[in-house]
């Protein structure tokens, strides 16, 4: 209800822009939508733009880590951009930075991926 | 300035955002910083989600109780359920520990509660439900005293 | 979609806006129109203020209870206090009637509740406290069903 | 806490701009502030601009009617401008329109007063 999702395909990357609040309630929707995309599409990498995400708790970490695993399995990379300070602290606590790289902007995140592929 | 509230609701995921907003509206009277308010919302979200997912395992008949009191500039926050309870609280509180990895739980709920609040006490036992008691001092902006 | 919540809080005027925000956050799951949401906030404000001012006459030890349940697309809202109660409910419900003109009360609280909700029942008696039961159907936007 | 008040004196009129939520809690503040102004100042009329008032209940009616009486006693007029639809309905129910005239904008409300004095 309070989470919106927009996706765009650019070269080998699926860009996912999240807007609103990502909690256990809305995580279900994000998970099933992204799993569908992963199953259907042939993109390699995933870029998650959190610029308009106003709230995220540990249920959000769960969805991100879940997608990270699926993308890794197909040999892709997952990157995240535009992380607000409050969400940044949760990322830090969980050690997520060790596996998912964070970029200040979507374009920088995209550039980092397109160099790889 | 002292005040209290007690909120009970059905253990359905719809109520996670409701609980966050309600607690934030109650705490607003202390003129918290944006960061303090986000910390509190996050912590409410963690504990309420745990009551729904782990305490009641998704049974919507379950009732979650959130109570908050303000004593001077300190927030006392209790979140409880009368669900399954936790057998080993010490293990449950370990970062990354989760009993439900198949649900994509990250195991970070307790770690976040510990980091965002000043004090946390967990009362739980198998069949006895779970009560999380947390305390947080809210920064006292002297220019706002009334 | 059925759901319920029950909220209790100290009878202090600080909690009037808190009660409005909490009920509005609960009702949000029905996707009400802005007008419906304002109606509900106003009605909560009227009944909670009455409990604080008239029921408890400003005694902060009093406890106000707001409960709400959603049954399909209907909101059932109860607001109660265990304060002084009302001797003559029919007189109290008259537009412009107030027992506290010296406090600049307008006597329009009950009239607003009657106009903004579909149904209202007042249970009250001297020494027995007051319970206001209200019902409102929320417009069902078919494109939003889930 | 959630109500702000701004006043401006133009000729014989005190303009009062209310911002935020006017309920029983905030009404106390509005009442005492306006009573102070009425006691101190020599203006004749009062114009209340509700453009930025996002919420008002019957406690707000009480404050307005109270000030109306004080202004009437000194032979002035009270007018209101920029009333949002939700507040308009409460005005209608209470019959307030019979005693206080409502104008679409502050300038029109002011013009109506300055003609009078
Ligand atoms: N209210 C509760 N009722 C029963 N078990 C709980 C409750 N809260 C937490 N637990 C247990 O503690 C574990 C760790 O909780 P937490 O750190 O929040 O991680 P997560 O919710 O991601 O599993 C849970 O996996 C669960 O086994
Ligand atoms: N919860 C209550 N407890 C006791 N008396 C009440 C309560 N609610 C309303 N009343 C009585 O009903 C009267 C009318 O209420 P209302 O229409 O809301 O007008 P107002 O609050 O402006 O007086 C009040 O003046 C009071 O005497």
């Amino acid at each position: 209800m309070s989470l919106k999702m927009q996706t765009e395909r650019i070269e080998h990357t699926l860009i996912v822009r999240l807007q609103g609040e990502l909690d256990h309630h809305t995580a279900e929707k994000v998970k099933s939508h992204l799993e569908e995309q992963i199953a259907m599409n042939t993109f390699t990498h995933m870029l998650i733009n959190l610029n308009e995400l106003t709230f995220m708790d540990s249920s959000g970490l769960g969805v991100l880590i879940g997608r990270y695993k699926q993308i890794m399995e197909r040999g892709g990379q997952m990157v995240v951009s535009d992380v607000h300070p409050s969400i940044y602290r949760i990322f830090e606590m969980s050690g997520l930075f060790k596996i998912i790289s964070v970029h200040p902007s979507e374009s920088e995140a995209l550039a980092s991926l397109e160099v790889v592929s | 300035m002292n005040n209290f509230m007690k909120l009970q609701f059905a253990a359905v995921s719809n109520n996670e955002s409701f609980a966050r907003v309600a607690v934030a509206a109650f705490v607003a009277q202390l003129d918290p910083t944006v960061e303090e308010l986000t910390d509190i919302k996050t912590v409410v979200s963690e504990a309420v989600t745990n009551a729904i997912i782990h305490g009641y395992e998704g049974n919507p008949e379950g009732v979650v109780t959130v109570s908050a009191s303000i004593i001077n500039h300190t927030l006392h926050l209790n979140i409880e359920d009368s669900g399954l309870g936790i057998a080993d609280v010490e293990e449950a509180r370990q970062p990354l520990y989760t009993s439900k990895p198949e649900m994509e739980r990250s195991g970070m709920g307790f770690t976040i509660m510990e980091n965002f609040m000043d004090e946390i006490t967990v009362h739980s036992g198998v069949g006895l439900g779970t009560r999380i008691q947390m305390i947080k001092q809210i920064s006292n902006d002297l220019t706002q005293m009334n």
Side-chain angles (χ1 to χ4, degrees), chain A residues 4-70:
Chain A
K4 291 202 182 98
M5 219 175 328
Q6 196 217 329
T7 54
E8 184 185 350
R9 173 75 187 274
I10 294 186
E11 308 218 358
H12 304 90
T13 303
L14 185 75
I15 301 177
V16 181
R17 301 186 188 98
L18 297 179
Q19 188 188 343
E21 308 202 332
L22 181 54
D23 64 3
H24 161 241
H25 181 69
T26 56
E28 308 276 318
K29 188 166 111 179
V30 174
K31 181 187 170 183
S32 65
H33 184 77
L34 292 185
E35 281 195 326
E36 237 172 66
Q37 298 271 324
I38 292 174
M40 278 178 6
N41 277 290
T42 54
F43 56 85
T44 314
H45 309 302
M46 188 178 271
L47 187 172
I48 305 200
N49 181 338
L50 303 182
N51 190 37
E52 296 190 57
L53 199 69
T54 54
F55 179 84
M56 190 186 104
D57 64 12
S58 77
S59 301
L61 287 178
V63 202
L64 295 185
I65 296 169
R67 279 347 98 228
Y68 164 77
K69 286 179 185 163
Q70 292 176 319

Side-chain angles (χ1 to χ4, degrees), chain B residues 50-137:
Chain B
N50 280 351
I52 294 171
I53 292 181
H54 302 298
Y56 296 117
E57 294 199 305
N59 178 0
E61 306 279 304
V63 174
V64 182
T65 303
V66 175
S67 53
S69 52
I70 289 170
I71 301 170
N72 300 318
H73 261 69
T74 305
L75 171 69
H76 295 252
L77 188 63
N78 280 8
I79 297 173
E80 62 186 281
D81 63 70
S82 43
L84 298 177
I86 304 174
D88 184 343
V89 170
E90 216 188 308
E91 177 189 50
R93 290 177 68 159
Q94 295 300 315
L96 305 175
Y97 172 81
T98 178
S99 57
K100 296 212 188 304
E102 75 286 1
M103 286 184 69
E104 300 204 333
R105 305 301 304 158
S106 64
M108 288 300 295
F110 276 124
T111 308
I112 289 173
M113 293 185 243
E114 285 167 10
N115 271 280
F116 283 3
M117 301 294 278
D118 298 336
E119 280 179 44
I120 166 169
T121 320
V122 180
H123 305 268
S124 190
V126 175
L128 299 172
T130 300
R131 185 161 95 241
I132 316 282
Q133 291 186 297
M134 293 176 279
I135 299 178
K136 189 179 179 78
Q137 184 85 24

